[in-house]
Amino acid sequence: MNDAKNMTKYSLRSWVLVLALAPTILVGILLGGYFTINRFYELEDTLIEQASNIIEPLAIASEVGLESKDFETTKRLITSAQLNKASLVQFIAIFDANNRVVITSHHYKNHEVMRFDKPLDSMLRTELEQVGDSMILRSPIFKSSNIPVQDLDRDPQANPDIAKIGYIAILINKENALLQQHRAAVAAFIIVLIGVQLNLFFTFRLLKNVTQPITDMVRVVAKIREGKLDTRLTGNLIGELDLLKRGINAMAGSLSEYHDEMQQNIDQATSDLRETLEQIEIQNVELDMAKKRAQEASRIKSEFLANMSHELRTPLNGVIGFAKQLLKTPLHSSQQDYIRTIERSATNLLSIINDILDFSKLEAGKMVLENIPFSLRETIEETVTMLSSSAREKELALVIDVDARIPEDVSGDAMRFSQIITNLVGNAIKFTDKGSVQLKLQLEEVKDGKVHIRCEIIDTGIGVDEQQQSSLFQAFGQADSSISRRFGGTGLGLVITKRLVNRMGGQIGCYSEPNQGSTFWFSLPLNISQYSINDTLPLSTLEGKSIMLFEPNGLTQHAIERMLLRWGLKVTIAKNIKQLEFVLTQSNHVFDFGLMSCRAVTTTSQPANALKLAKSKIDYLLLISDCIEQEDVFSQIRPYIDKQLSMPVGEKLLSSSLLDPHSSVLNDNLIALTPLSAPIKQENLSVLAVDDNPANLKLIDTLLKELVTQVQVADTGELAVKLAKERSYDLIFMDIQMPGTDGITATKQIRANSANRNTPIIAVTAHAIAEERERITSSGMDGYLPKPIDEAALKGVITRWKTKPKFTHFEQRTLNWELCLTQANNKPDLALDMLKMLLKSLPETVEHIELALSNSDNDKMLASIHKLHGASCYCGVPTTQSLCQEIESSLKRGVSVEDVEPEILELLDELTKVESAANQVISQLSVDI
């Protein structure tokens, strides 16, 4: 497969050139090399043979002169031989038996190179030695008188016993031989080159007659593929190429005919399509009507939900409210039990209504998620603390374990995050009879200004089998839906949780085994907040201090131990009462702190003695309230306890308790099982309450009279407007849905012309959908109190608004302090800091916007507006935020600065108003806050 792909990278011309030239060049090189090398060896052998033919006769002829000492004759002999072969022989020398030079053909400066460097006896025949571009031949000179008569016809060199009287050496010049070798190599190269040229000639002829027609065919096929079906191949081709040409022309003709036929079919289909257009238009009309009916049904559904929310919550408001009020009156035990049952049943019914409404909002896509800063650990601890009483009733260990690497300050929808935790932890407690429920948060990654966390809720409950797990996240689905099921519920909790997690950009899942417990997990991205929500505690002061931890439960012990070690404390652990007594009695060390489990202490035979012993060795003793204490036992151990912490033990409460153990605020956490009902201090306020329902009006009147000094009620909107014109109130609670003049209309009339133009008006309504809340906020009301009315929530509203500043010089749409508080998680100091940061940045922002406007610079304008938009999301400036969003969206769509100039000028005017309003708010609130 890969070979086929590689072949398509090269053209046919390239392949023909390679396949035609490569074998010729290779064979030519091999043959030329072979014959050249063979010629070299032939010339070498011929040279040696010529030298041998010279030296061997001279060796025989020199024997007489060397034996008779007739050196002159011998010299003429070798000189004549050297001169006769001057082009071949450079120098001749004769050496005697003692290896001394006797005779030379002529003077030679380096005759020592001619000397034989081995014993003369080892020279048996003519020997050859290569020296650079020359070679030396040496032949022994034998004494002929010592040769036996029978050996005269034999080679004397073959008999080693014949005496040697010397040897002759000849220096042979190899230049002529080398020249002939080079000529042979050049000739071979020329022959190979000529062969290659001939091959090229024939190859190009082949390319012209074969590959060029094929290239033309490829070009014609490409044109046919482009739709030029009238293209044809012309000319006379050879062999099969001519057959291929005819085949391509025939194929083009067939395609042309098919194209014409297809065009006719298309025309016929177009005609048929035109005939069906009327039917499609009719269907479109029907679909449009169906869409309108669906929208109308959705509107009716929303109205139905709003009305049902109001109609269901209104009577529940009276049931729950008066049940709580009735509990404050003297009742015997059975009556108190009945009232508590009524209250719990009504609260459960309210929870079911809330689940149905949440599910409906998620189904319709109406769920609006907020993005406000909040404290992650504080939110988790507050949420789980609300569920701790259920865990204590079932004697379950409820443990919070948060990864230390997770940042504390994040931004997102804190309420929905708390709802997710509540649903999952509440389910875990509900389906667990014994053991523990652990909430574990781990850091997955920090990327692009977001922290990705993974939360696991691990329980030791009944578990869920694999078949039932598939229905857990389905609406109205439950693992056990039979009539004999143990656990109730609507089956909406998990599906709401799943959709909330998905809307927030996360994932959720579960793995479980029957009777082995379950683990529900979800991963969620949260924005890292630029603002610090909580003050940083000086945890460094705890480093080196000692603490005794007495907690038998492993999960709780490990979670608390990790917190304490992270803060730098020296932790000593006792897992049972014997270990505790051993450590306390055997050690003279006094611990700075002691943290002990109430369950472990009260299960001993004498809890008071154990705590008395612990108190003698511990400076400050804290008790973890993880069980339902009995009054007789608690009265015994109370004198030895400095503080009592509720389970689960959160980081904030534990760290605050250790840093400031004697704080009066924290000492109030010491729980008494029979609290005395202290009288509620009334606020010196005048409050107007408006509601058309007599039961609700009576309830809010009763609740308000316990909290404020003056309360006046009105059962219609007209009466409320009339009373608002006659006198001034500190606070007005306004019902929304009333016959005649509703709450919104009454609010507008009060704001337009009355003595309460700037009085805080709080909407009291049973409507729970997002559109209704937005309509209430935009109508001029300052706050929102949902029905059924909770006494604590009502008290919180009064506390928040009793000192509301009277802002009279700007509109609420320019700067809404209540919205600013909401966006700052109801923290006045944080809201004021964010407002100051916005005010400080306004001059520079205005300068950048004006500069970008004058230069028509889209990029700089988009950057400035984007930065301002981000800052306005946390400062309660709805008009500025709306204008920034509109301008930013237009610029991102490619609209020029000139086209959005009116909106930019409006924004600059609005920023001037915001600056004036912010200065007024900051100057008025800085001292108070």
Side-chain angles (χ1 to χ4, degrees), residues 135-408:
M135 62 182 178
I136 299 173
L137 272 74
R138 299 182 185 91
S139 182
I141 301 175
F142 297 97
K143 188 175 182 180
S144 59
S145 60
N146 291 339
I147 301 175
V149 178
Q150 62 271 18
D151 295 334
L152 288 176
D153 57 346
R154 296 175 56 187
D155 184 6
Q157 295 177 353
N159 191 351
D161 296 331
I162 300 175
K164 303 179 183 68
I165 61 174
Y167 64 91
I168 183 170
I170 298 178
L171 182 64
I172 302 299
N173 185 7
K174 295 171 58 178
E175 291 181 355
N176 290 334
L178 292 175
L179 181 60
Q180 292 181 12
Q181 288 176 349
H182 292 162
R183 288 175 180 171
V186 171
F189 175 74
I190 292 173
I191 293 172
V192 171
L193 185 61
I194 292 172
V196 171
Q197 289 178 344
L198 289 173
N199 182 266
L200 278 173
F201 173 76
F202 290 112
T203 300
F204 282 114
R205 291 288 297 178
L206 177 65
L207 290 174
K208 182 178 179 181
N209 293 329
V210 176
T211 60
Q212 185 61 41
I214 293 177
T215 303
D216 294 339
M217 292 178 187
V218 171
R219 187 163 48 250
V220 168
V221 170
K223 289 183 179 181
I224 293 173
R225 186 176 58 188
E226 292 173 359
K228 301 176 181 178
L229 301 179
D230 56 344
T231 307
R232 297 292 186 272
L233 283 168
T234 59
N236 296 322
L237 303 180
I238 60 174
E240 288 81 358
L241 293 178
D242 191 65
L243 295 176
L244 184 58
K245 179 194 74 172
R246 296 177 183 177
I248 292 176
N249 290 338
M251 179 190 69
S254 299
L255 286 175
S256 179
E257 294 176 359
Y258 173 74
H259 180 267
D260 294 339
E261 183 181 354
M262 183 180 66
Q263 185 63 42
Q264 293 177 1
N265 293 335
I266 291 174
D267 293 339
Q268 182 64 36
T270 304
S271 177
D272 295 340
L273 184 60
R274 289 195 185 102
E275 293 177 0
T276 58
L277 281 177
E278 293 182 0
Q279 297 179 1
I280 294 176
E281 289 178 1
I282 294 173
Q283 291 178 356
N284 287 337
V285 171
E286 292 177 351
L287 288 174
D288 186 57
M289 294 175 63
K291 178 182 176 183
K292 290 180 179 179
R293 287 194 297 268
Q295 291 175 344
E296 180 66 16
S298 177
R299 186 187 64 79
I300 294 173
K301 175 184 174 183
S302 298
E303 291 181 358
F304 171 76
L305 287 175
N307 292 330
M308 286 304 297
S309 169
H310 185 274
E311 296 302 326
L312 290 173
R313 287 168 178 265
T314 297
L316 278 176
N317 180 39
V319 172
I320 296 175
F322 281 110
K324 290 181 178 179
Q325 290 299 111
L326 192 58
L327 283 172
K328 298 177 183 179
T329 62
L331 299 170
H332 55 73
S333 58
S334 60
Q335 291 173 328
Q336 287 184 352
D337 184 54
Y338 298 156
I339 298 300
R340 288 193 181 95
T341 302
I342 293 172
E343 182 189 6
R344 282 196 298 268
S345 300
T347 303
N348 291 336
L349 179 58
L350 180 63
S351 176
I352 292 173
I353 294 171
N354 289 334
D355 281 348
I356 295 174
L357 290 172
D358 283 342
F359 176 72
S360 299
K361 286 185 284 184
L362 286 167
E363 280 245 305
K366 301 292 185 179
M367 179 72 74
V368 179
L369 297 178
E370 296 179 339
N371 185 22
I372 59 175
F374 68 95
S375 172
L376 181 66
R377 288 173 176 81
E378 182 178 351
T379 301
I380 292 173
E381 291 170 11
E382 289 176 355
T383 303
V384 177
T385 300
M386 290 189 298
L387 304 169
S388 60
S389 59
S390 300
R392 278 198 298 271
E393 290 176 359
K394 303 179 76 171
E395 297 185 353
L396 300 176
L398 186 56
V399 183
I400 300 176
D401 187 2
V402 182
D403 192 339
R405 299 173 297 168
I406 298 177
E408 176 65 18

Side-chain angles (χ1 to χ4, degrees), residues 31 41 127 199 399 420 434 481 486 562 722 833:
L31 290 176
Y41 283 119
E127 294 185 358
N199 182 266
V399 183
I420 294 170
K434 61 180 180 179
S481 57
R486 291 175 53 197
R562 279 194 294 271
K722 180 181 178 182
D833 288 341

